[in-house]
Amino acid sequence: MNAYKKQMKVVMLFVVIVFFVQIALCQNFARKEVKIPDVLGYRVLKCDFHTHTVFSDGDVWPTLRAEEIWLEGLDAFALTDHIEYTPHKDDIMINYNRPYEIASPLAKARGITLIKGGEITRKMPPGHLNAIFLKDVSPLKTDKWEDAIQIAYNQGAFIFWNHPGWKAQQSDGIAKWNKEQEELLKKKCLNGMEVVNEKEYYPEVHKWCLEKNITMLGNSDIHDPANMAFDFAKGEHRPMTLVLAKENSEEAVKDALFNGRTVIYKDNLLIGKAEYLLPIFENSILIKNPEVVLKGKERVNVQIYNSSEINFELTLDKKPEDISAPEKITLYGDRTVMLGIRANVKETPEKKETPEKKDMTGKKDIDLNYKVKNLLIAPEEGLPITLKIKAEFEKKD
Amino acid sequence: MNAYKKQMKVVMLFVVIVFFVQIALCQNFARKEVKIPDVLGYRVLKCDFHTHTVFSDGDVWPTLRAEEIWLEGLDAFALTDHIEYTPHKDDIMINYNRPYEIASPLAKARGITLIKGGEITRKMPPGHLNAIFLKDVSPLKTDKWEDAIQIAYNQGAFIFWNHPGWKAQQSDGIAKWNKEQEELLKKKCLNGMEVVNEKEYYPEVHKWCLEKNITMLGNSDIHDPANMAFDFAKGEHRPMTLVLAKENSEEAVKDALFNGRTVIYKDNLLIGKAEYLLPIFENSILIKNPEVVLKGKERVNVQIYNSSEINFELTLDKKPEDISAPEKITLYGDRTVMLGIRANVKETPEKKETPEKKDMTGKKDIDLNYKVKNLLIAPEEGLPITLKIKAEFEKKD
Amino acid sequence: MNAYKKQMKVVMLFVVIVFFVQIALCQNFARKEVKIPDVLGYRVLKCDFHTHTVFSDGDVWPTLRAEEIWLEGLDAFALTDHIEYTPHKDDIMINYNRPYEIASPLAKARGITLIKGGEITRKMPPGHLNAIFLKDVSPLKTDKWEDAIQIAYNQGAFIFWNHPGWKAQQSDGIAKWNKEQEELLKKKCLNGMEVVNEKEYYPEVHKWCLEKNITMLGNSDIHDPANMAFDFAKGEHRPMTLVLAKENSEEAVKDALFNGRTVIYKDNLLIGKAEYLLPIFENSILIKNPEVVLKGKERVNVQIYNSSEINFELTLDKKPEDISAPEKITLYGDRTVMLGIRANVKETPEKKETPEKKDMTGKKDIDLNYKVKNLLIAPEEGLPITLKIKAEFEKKD
Amino acid sequence: MNAYKKQMKVVMLFVVIVFFVQIALCQNFARKEVKIPDVLGYRVLKCDFHTHTVFSDGDVWPTLRAEEIWLEGLDAFALTDHIEYTPHKDDIMINYNRPYEIASPLAKARGITLIKGGEITRKMPPGHLNAIFLKDVSPLKTDKWEDAIQIAYNQGAFIFWNHPGWKAQQSDGIAKWNKEQEELLKKKCLNGMEVVNEKEYYPEVHKWCLEKNITMLGNSDIHDPANMAFDFAKGEHRPMTLVLAKENSEEAVKDALFNGRTVIYKDNLLIGKAEYLLPIFENSILIKNPEVVLKGKERVNVQIYNSSEINFELTLDKKPEDISAPEKITLYGDRTVMLGIRANVKETPEKKETPEKKDMTGKKDIDLNYKVKNLLIAPEEGLPITLKIKAEFEKKD
């Protein structure tokens, strides 16, 4: 045993010791949960299907991505380094499966589902596509992009179009539907599209997903450390895809993706089908005093607690008949707000207040119909919701 | 009708208009809930039984106290202006019931229980005492303090000793138990004591409460606006008394106080009887993966979510037999933390890891016994708790 | 000496002791300075000329206003309770000079200039007007508003129109110039106008101030505690009037107001004459590397430090000839940002980069002409500024 | 030209476009300056001489370190990957000079001085040593550590002992001075020591540096992204070495290090020689009203503004004769605080206050002697400072 090897053995021993010292410190490493409720018997998994590491043009080692995902409250993610674009190749030996292999033990120890993927990085068309749930990424390095996609398809991958309106590939920032995409869709090789990528939202892609029944995705496409890209202290978060899955497993996520059970979460915005957004809203909201007494034209506050982390921005959709309610109100996340209502009474010349309509006495069910403008069921179209109240109308003493 | 009256009428009209304009803006006024769970079939009401207004030496109008209480997530409070000390009397007409009368409509509109009270403000002994649930505060202005207390008692008041170790009355900052207090206690005129007042905690008073079975209270004794005294953005909160009550009503709060069902909440500290603190801890904690597999001496993380806003600071009370667990760990509020454990195996010279004891195979129930040092069941004595895990021990591959 | 008096004497002694105890704690009470530089040989005093207390419809005792002013980094303020509107009069003895008398000792101890004022509170026209630098507020309580203003004028007051576009008095939220205002202006009884009141900005009033040479003011009109109205932790601040005064004294402030030396500071906006805004900008900005070498079309960063607390939002006003510079850039307050520039070179077919114009070699003075869109010299008109750089153009190696 | 090469060419074009798109976004990337003033005609450079990348056991690409350094307000740093410990070597081709080569262009573009270094990573003794200002790191990979150090010395390196009390190498956490260190010191091969490493401070090393005249260093030893290791939103910062240098250049930093002109900045602590700490304190402090009038025993506030980002924690060192001043006071960073003083007068039985000593009339220079307990000139020894005030003593009216 030569001197250097002996030295190394000692170094390794240090490493073991350090590892255990760090474990003790690491107890303090805490995960912030994403506060969006489960719905419809599914778990609402928080996922990011588009991330990079030093193995392509990212700035971080693969394990760090798993650590970030856990700390930020996500449940599953895919490592999707560029296949054709590897600027660090003078220093890093290219092996497209390594990011997954390196991050896998940590992800498992954290209870995070890690999905193997790769980004097919071509000029437009077809642009950039992610293939995830791959068995082996290496064969996707081909001359022709058509071959790469076919190989991914053969491995059972879920394939989606990344940032279709990316300015580097669409100078006007608006995605174009080409015959190449049409072809891929027909061959079941275009299973999803990024309606949201990093800081961008593509309304035209949103529309296509609804029309063509393609799964909607929102991903970070992160290259830097997450807390450099997002200011968590200001409440920022990475864009993510909420996946309605039976459990947190690769199979359940895959099933949900192929069946379109996703909602996109970007800034203070949720994007998805009404059938998913409505129960998310309803499971978030608690009307604390749903039964109120309205005396004359006195204002009464309905107190509403929103247990989610989203500020729901409501706009009155249809004026209720018997009462006045605010045109706009924001139900702040993790806060209780007052929604002030009062009976529509008129003052007589004798200053006695009377209900505007004769039958406005006794108890009555009141529907407050609002649209939630930041729960998007289509471009610029907010989710319609109803707040239900029981009101008892009384004359003022 | 003279010119001035006409003018005034118009002013009043403005006021009405302004009122409605402000209503619209006020929708944004949001309440932050205090995240401490209900227990034992009771609601855990967040209360402050010691507050001041401009009617004695406070800096704010009574309605503001009600607004603050709502915004800060409290459920009930008492206005307890000094009876004998009224430095604003050159400008304010003294009427000891006015603070309650003025704040009452707003408190009611917010769903807050407002309790009428007054602070009997005398030299030591007996020092300062609050009488709450009074019917009429005015008769308490008497020459002799004994009379004031008797009148409060006759009105059915709950009477408690304020800041017993206050340096202005106890130069060493340590409360003294005098014959006056003994006398009051015998006459059932000393129903509670402030173990916590503003920023101070009195361990000796804590001890007396346990020995003599007196209700423990923690109050703000606030004079300034609350957000001047406490930096909410840094997570500070006013000290409060948690009251285990059947509902949020004056009667239910009174019943709980006379029966000692209180816990004090100060900074990151809860002070109270184990019978109340234990269910608060248990209702706050969720072990996400209570069943773990321990291979060789591999570290496994038990993930624990704490839904309360308190950071529970745990210290290992008794080392478990079969596994290693951290000496100290903090379960951060609204966060998930990893508690890392591993089997107590030893390495043989042949580098094969084996359990230290023969019977350490198969599944086993593990009790992790910790003390929560910031849940105080007596001065410097943390609440003992147990985290229960099912472990399956396996050999390393 | 009867028992009660004896008691009181003891209470008073406590008060003295408490006072000194609090002094010790109060060392921690710290003032946040407003970071806007002095200019033109004047001190730039931070002032608020419109505040309320419990003596009219405010929620706080007068001393608290002085404390807030000091803590928030202001230098001078006026107490301007409503004269005609006193909703607390059942409890507070009305004396229009009392707020000033009560707050005066604390203001003095803090080094704050406190100005005596009152708000003439009438229907529109003339609406609400503040008279400040009054000697005695009481005589302003008159039947006719014309008399009140005349009395203020006779006392040498600075009189300004409050919130001219206030919705309670102008249902469309747009101020109207009436003959009453015209008359007051002629009589030198309308010396200033609130271009900004609380959260509102009135562009039409801004325009009138410029046309008619009336002093521009921005005030808080605060009724609540300041930290309830403004979220300081999020960087919010009360609207204020910056006064270019020779020193911090009542006389110097008065002189500046009568001579129109004011700038309004609202959110991230400064409003004022270019002659004041330009030196504020220039005294805030430091170009760290004003001499740069531009090789080929390589990007070079000019680093700019902004020592003020305002984020200057720059838009390119005129494209420079020889270089490319960003269309938009924000110079963040108390931050250094990179303004990236590069020479306008074109690539020849042989891939050699050459300057677009022959004479683009050697050193050259470059003027970067921007408009600062949040330094308003008129409604929607940003201040033009020039960043001066010396560039040396070189061929790429 | 085959299809793949053609594809690659297009990819490269995208990269160029993306680069320019990002430039536009990057304008918002802002640098927070470290607020510690220049002193003694030197610039006080903020430096970190111990950082890691993926090239040893760090988690980030070298360029990211340069970006972080700029954003956090530092001026110079060294990349010091482990030489003997390279856990990523299965994926990364080991070349000890590459981290420097990769990060160098970005550092230059940001105006940051990047220093080439390496960490000699051996068991204790001699433990871990950093060699910086190396010309070529590769030759330092030797069997014997003595050879590695000699090679570094021959290249003119500045060599310092890292984390001498690191628990992985000193189980009790206390550094030991061995004959190996003594030997190195004699040979001028031990030029500095880390008194602070990451979160640790070694008082025994602090003492040795003073006794043996060795340069004191405080470094981050960072492996993770900086904003994962430090919560900037809470005001945390990486530990750094403040270097008093003639300019920001490699030569000037080297000269300062070899001449011991350093101060360590850790949390809210500065550690260094009094000759450097005193001017840092004095250049940070402004007494706003250094001339005060003391009437009777009235309290007067001296207002002190601290322009640095450090909260100076003062403890009264010697009671002044003629006045009372607070025992403890914290001069908060970027805040103005009130230091309350009053004359030492006594009350006569006739209640007239008189100075305690006869000569206490007229103007007098007052020295307030404090120690700044968080400016450490030796272990547990705060820097003595004097606040100078001119007081005029008057009788109370």
Side-chain angles (χ1 to χ4, degrees), chain C residues 43-175:
Chain C
R43 286 194 57 187
V44 174
L45 301 176
K46 286 77 188 178
C47 309
D48 186 356
F49 300 115
H50 193 166
T51 69
H52 293 277
T53 76
V54 291
F55 281 79
S56 63
D57 58 346
D59 273 335
V60 308
W61 194 246
T63 49
L64 194 89
R65 291 285 174 233
E67 195 67 270
E68 289 175 344
I69 285 287
W70 186 79
L71 287 169
E72 293 171 45
L74 281 81
D75 303 297
F77 78 114
L79 284 167
T80 56
D81 275 307
H82 299 286
I83 294 169
E84 296 84 354
Y85 179 53
T86 51
H88 300 161
K89 64 178 174 294
D90 291 347
D91 296 288
I92 296 190
M93 286 163 268
I94 299 306
N95 174 338
Y96 299 107
N97 294 312
R98 282 297 287 160
Y100 175 88
E101 289 166 16
I102 291 168
S104 201
L106 185 65
K108 204 182 154 206
R110 293 282 180 277
I112 298 294
T113 296
L114 172 58
I115 297 158
K116 193 187 276 190
E119 182 165 11
I120 300 166
T121 306
R122 307 285 176 140
K123 65 171 177 172
M124 184 75 78
H128 296 194
L129 293 109
N130 269 3
I132 59 175
F133 307 106
L134 289 173
K135 285 168 183 58
D136 182 0
V137 190
S138 298
L140 272 71
K141 184 152 189 295
T142 59
D143 276 8
K144 295 177 67 183
W145 60 262
E146 292 87 344
D147 296 343
I149 290 174
Q150 190 60 46
I151 291 162
Y153 176 85
N154 292 347
Q155 290 190 21
F158 181 89
I159 303 167
F160 58 94
W161 188 8
N162 298 337
H163 44 71
W166 186 36
K167 279 192 178 142
Q169 297 195 325
Q170 295 288 1
S171 56
D172 62 356
I174 299 172

Side-chain angles (χ1 to χ4, degrees), chain A residues 20 23 27-28 30-31 33 35 70 109-110 288 299 301 303 305 329 332 334-336 338 342, chain B residues 20 23 27-28 30-31 33 35 70 110 288 299 301 303 305 329 334-336 338 340 342:
Chain A
F20 284 108
I23 279 171
Q27 306 298 346
N28 290 355
R31 166 178 165 105
E33 300 292 338
K35 297 289 182 56
W70 186 79
R110 293 282 180 278
K288 290 183 162 189
R299 184 187 195 238
N301 294 317
Q303 297 202 14
Y305 175 61
I329 183 165
Y332 291 98
D334 197 17
R335 289 289 182 280
T336 301
M338 293 179 288
R342 57 189 174 84
Chain B
F20 284 107
I23 279 171
Q27 307 298 344
N28 289 355
R31 167 178 164 105
E33 300 292 338
K35 297 289 182 56
W70 186 79
R110 293 281 181 278
K288 289 184 163 190
R299 184 188 195 240
N301 294 316
Q303 297 202 13
Y305 176 61
I329 183 165
D334 197 18
R335 289 289 183 280
T336 300
M338 292 179 289
R342 58 189 173 81

Side-chain angles (χ1 to χ4, degrees), chain D residues 96-119:
Chain D
Y96 299 107
N97 294 312
R98 282 297 287 160
Y100 176 88
E101 289 167 16
I102 290 168
S104 202
L106 185 66
K108 205 182 154 206
R110 293 282 180 277
I112 298 294
T113 296
L114 172 58
I115 297 158
K116 192 186 276 190
E119 182 165 11

Side-chain angles (χ1 to χ4, degrees), chain A residues 37-40 244 263 270 272-285 312 370 372 375-377 383-387:
Chain A
D38 291 338
V39 292
L40 304 172
L244 284 65
V263 166
L270 291 184
K273 295 178 187 162
E275 64 188 286
Y276 305 140
L277 293 182
L278 187 59
I280 287 177
F281 177 82
E282 287 177 343
N283 290 6
S284 300
I285 289 300
F312 297 117
Y370 282 91
V372 191
L375 300 194
L376 281 186
I377 57 173
L383 174 77
I385 59 98
T386 302
L387 301 171

Side-chain angles (χ1 to χ4, degrees), chain D residues 228-239:
Chain D
M228 184 174 271
F230 304 100
D231 191 338
F232 300 129
K234 283 194 185 150
E236 290 180 15
H237 63 87
R238 71 169 75 199

